[in-house]
Amino acid sequence: MMINKGDKIPEVNLVKATADGPQQISSNEYFAGKKVALFSVPGAFTPTCSAKHLPGYVEKAADLKAKGVDEIACTAVNDAFVMGAWNDAAGSEDVTMLADGNGDFAKAVGLTMDGSGFGLGQRGQRFSMIVNDGVVEELNVEAPGDFKVSAAEYMLDQL
């Protein structure tokens, strides 16, 4: 079942990509006490994700924070090393990379997709959400192949 506005983020473990290496963190701990602009991509280094999705959040980081966002986070069904390398290549210190290597978060929020036709296996859908103290305030799920409602610009209009 897909998560909805007003729902609490389910408890799962994520892995935060840090300069000191992977750091395991529970979703409850990560989202507690702050407003997070979270976006999910089907995979690090994939075309739309690298050309539009991550760059949009990097470019709009100051604007999002000026509207009350405490942290910007990106999640994907990739390991922490891939997420860290992607952040080094195309991201910024303004975006926290949360690896969902086994897809536990994507499954828990009910937003998985089957990318087997592209050799990707089970992945998280492209979406964004505003999470305030662990509760979903806004949820934007893309239609397959689209990139509109999960963009940083769209989220800015919701704040």
Side-chain angles (χ1 to χ4, degrees):
M1 189 164 117
M2 186 174 81
I3 197 164
N4 290 296
K5 286 169 64 169
D7 290 348
K8 187 173 180 349
I9 292 289
E11 169 86 27
V12 296
N13 286 328
L14 295 161
V15 182
K16 193 172 169 182
T18 73
D20 297 327
Q23 173 190 353
Q24 200 166 69
I25 188 165
S26 78
S27 54
N28 283 356
E29 181 183 342
Y30 180 76
F31 290 103
K34 58 187 163 192
K35 185 177 270 196
V36 179
L38 175 70
F39 66 103
S40 170
V41 299
F45 293 106
T46 56
T48 300
C49 306
S50 291
K52 297 178 183 176
H53 216 166
L54 177 58
Y57 280 90
V58 170
E59 289 171 16
K60 301 295 183 187
D63 296 334
L64 288 163
K65 290 181 178 184
K67 288 196 168 196
V69 168
D70 298 306
E71 193 155 347
I72 302 163
C74 175
T75 187
V77 179
N78 289 117
D79 64 66
F81 298 104
V82 169
M83 295 296 284
W86 191 37
N87 202 33
D88 289 344
S92 89
E93 290 182 10
D94 290 319
V95 178
T96 300
M97 293 297 188
L98 297 175
D100 184 23
N102 295 324
D104 295 336
F105 183 77
K107 288 176 205 158
V109 296
L111 290 166
T112 59
M113 62 167 262
D114 185 358
S116 297
F118 303 100
L120 298 172
Q122 292 296 312
R123 295 292 177 126
Q125 291 183 41
R126 185 179 309 283
F127 66 85
S128 70
M129 57 176 76
I130 298 169
V131 182
N132 193 357
D133 194 23
V135 176
V136 178
E137 287 188 343
E138 296 290 345
L139 175 63
N140 311 297
V141 181
E142 295 288 1
D146 278 358
F147 175 68
K148 297 173 188 156
V149 299
S150 64
E153 294 81 3
Y154 190 89
M155 184 177 280
L156 274 168
D157 289 340
Q158 293 180 310
L159 292 168

